[in-house]
Amino acid sequence: MRVHAIVPYQKKGAINSQKLTMIANRYLELAAVLWGDRCVETVAPLGNAELAAIGRPLQVSVAADSPLQSLSRFPGALAALEKALAPHLSVIRTIAQSFRILSIETLCYFFAQYYAQDDYRGTHVKVAPSSERSFDEPYDELDFAFRSWGEGHDASVGHKASRGGKRRQFAAVYLPQYVLGDWMLLPYTPLSLDAVAKGGGSTQAVREKSILLSDSAGASMAKIETVLRHTAARASVPQLNRIIMDVICFLQAGIAAAGRAPVDAILRSEGSSLDESLGAIDVHLPDYFGVECEGEVAAGELWLSWLDSCERQNPVGYVPSHILIAARTEEEWTDPAFRGAAQIIMSANRLACDLCY
């Protein structure tokens, strides 16, 4: 995992907070000059009238009290300004439409996200919930405006020729939100979507109906199992399968980073073992999981060997763990399987806390 720190000084690989603040202030100044102070740093969200004005060409939208009104008396002046500022006006318009607010916090957040993802363009595939699409697509469309400010770690504005031309687009796969019980949630925060809409404003309700990283000891087992059972009954078994397969993939990533011993120790402290918990879900899962966790294994080659055995109609001696779980049916989710899955999630939560803190 790579953390992109936001720091008040210049450091390669980090994001400079002074740079973010400078960029945000310049866009707010521009918006205020064009459409008036009433459009920036508002307490309430921008109304439809303000959004409509911001979205229209400058020739017909510059505020009556704007110091640029004098330009409207010169033929083509505002049209030329619109063309010259087009990339930056697109940034303002996109943020206004997406968030219904133009504030220093929103602009800083938007640019910080861009700089954090910039190094991964053309080299990685992002796997994210569908809501991330509304961020990522504007980053490609507005790339020229973002890059004109220079590197994210450098507080100054760069004008290097090497930053010319369009960069490769950011590749991503956008997946539906997770479902726990009958709630749809973002994977990275329980205070989202249905938790806000259906939680009745009660944090206790959110704690009871979602699985948190703090659910990392045996005392949480009953709650985790209850949530998993509700997911299968109220949402669907495929939703349950998706949660378990993703958690197991995380465990494999954790084992790759820290070895298997921490996971074994966690489950041993709860009177179980990793193989027992995996085996409760599927009798073949411990072997398949173990093969995938071997030191020099290449996952792609393993998966190709499975496809090859399927094509040749040979006896299948290995199935990718995530495929095995994704194909589980309602009948296969027995009481022992639910308990094993709850143990796996509990150990993954504790491992996540240990790795991060």
Side-chain angles (χ1 to χ4, degrees):
M1 180 175 66
R2 181 181 175 188
V3 176
H4 295 270
I6 299 177
V7 296
Y9 48 85
Q10 184 167 315
K11 178 183 178 183
K12 193 73 174 177
I15 301 170
N16 191 295
S17 60
Q18 296 175 339
K19 178 67 160 276
L20 295 178
T21 302
M22 179 269 292
I23 294 172
N25 280 325
R26 291 192 185 178
Y27 278 113
L28 291 177
E29 290 169 8
L30 177 60
V33 166
L34 294 174
W35 300 294
D37 291 335
R38 63 186 179 279
C39 290
V40 301
E41 295 289 4
T42 55
V43 176
L46 292 171
N48 292 334
E50 288 82 7
L51 290 177
I54 293 171
R56 288 196 293 268
L58 297 182
Q59 300 92 301
V60 295
S61 67
V62 169
D65 58 350
S66 169
L68 298 180
Q69 267 296 334
S70 59
L71 291 179
S72 65
R73 304 189 185 105
F74 293 85
L78 287 180
L81 185 63
E82 172 84 27
K83 182 177 180 180
L85 290 174
H88 302 293
L89 294 176
S90 293
V91 171
I92 296 174
R93 287 163 176 159
T94 297
I95 294 176
Q97 290 292 336
S98 298
F99 299 98
R100 297 187 75 93
I101 194 166
L102 294 173
S103 67
I104 191 166
E105 293 84 2
T106 306
L107 282 154
C108 285
Y109 173 71
F110 203 66
F111 268 81
Q113 287 274 32
Y114 171 83
Y115 283 126
Q117 295 184 172
D118 194 36
D119 288 342
Y120 305 110
R121 285 168 172 257
T123 60
H124 293 72
V125 176
K126 177 179 179 178
V127 179
S130 56
S131 55
E132 290 287 309
R133 184 190 295 270
S134 61
F135 283 97
D136 296 338
E137 289 183 348
Y139 291 148
D140 279 329
E141 297 165 3
L142 305 172
D143 184 62
F144 178 80
F146 284 114
R147 289 191 293 114
S148 68
W149 295 102
E151 303 292 343
H153 71 279
D154 187 349
S156 63
V157 178
H159 298 286
K160 295 181 180 178
S162 62
R163 295 188 66 82
K166 185 173 177 61
R167 287 190 175 183
R168 289 171 291 182
Q169 290 191 333
F170 194 81
V173 175
Y174 299 103
L175 301 176
Q177 315 296 355
Y178 282 96
V179 177
L180 288 174
D182 57 357
W183 280 9
M184 185 178 294
L185 300 167
L186 290 169
Y188 45 80
T189 172
L191 295 176
S192 61
L193 303 178
D194 284 344
V196 177
K198 301 178 181 179
S202 168
T203 55
Q204 184 58 33
V206 175
R207 293 182 65 87
E208 290 174 358
K209 293 193 174 187
S210 60
I211 299 174
L212 310 176
L213 284 179
S214 56
D215 295 320
S216 56
S220 301
M221 281 284 297
K223 177 198 134 175
I224 296 173
E225 185 176 338
T226 297
V227 172
L228 296 180
R229 288 180 181 274
H230 286 174
T231 302
R234 299 180 183 180
S236 66
V237 165
Q239 293 288 354
L240 171 63
N241 292 346
R242 180 189 176 197
I243 293 168
I244 303 307
M245 62 191 266
D246 284 355
V247 170
I248 284 180
C249 287
F250 167 76
L251 274 183
Q252 290 178 332
I255 288 172
R260 181 161 172 162
V263 182
D264 285 329
I266 290 168
L267 284 163
R268 193 162 49 246
S269 69
E270 301 295 338
S272 182
S273 71
L274 181 56
D275 282 348
E276 288 176 5
S277 298
L278 293 171
I281 299 174
D282 187 285
V283 66
H284 299 292
L285 190 54
D287 290 337
Y288 300 163
F289 181 94
V291 168
E292 292 166 351
C293 289
E294 290 178 359
E296 301 300 321
V297 71
E301 293 179 9
L302 270 179
W303 297 348
L304 286 174
S305 72
W306 166 68
L307 287 173
D308 185 61
S309 66
C310 293
E311 290 177 352
R312 295 174 182 271
Q313 298 184 341
N314 292 337
V316 177
Y318 162 78
V319 177
S321 296
H322 63 285
I323 299 293
L324 185 71
I325 296 168
R328 291 183 65 78
T329 64
E330 183 177 357
E331 292 73 22
E332 291 174 307
W333 278 106
T334 60
D335 290 344
F338 277 113
R339 285 194 293 272
Q343 289 172 329
I344 290 295
I345 289 178
M346 181 273 298
S347 63
N349 285 342
R350 195 185 304 179
L351 179 65
C353 292
D354 291 347
L355 288 175
C356 292
Y357 303 108

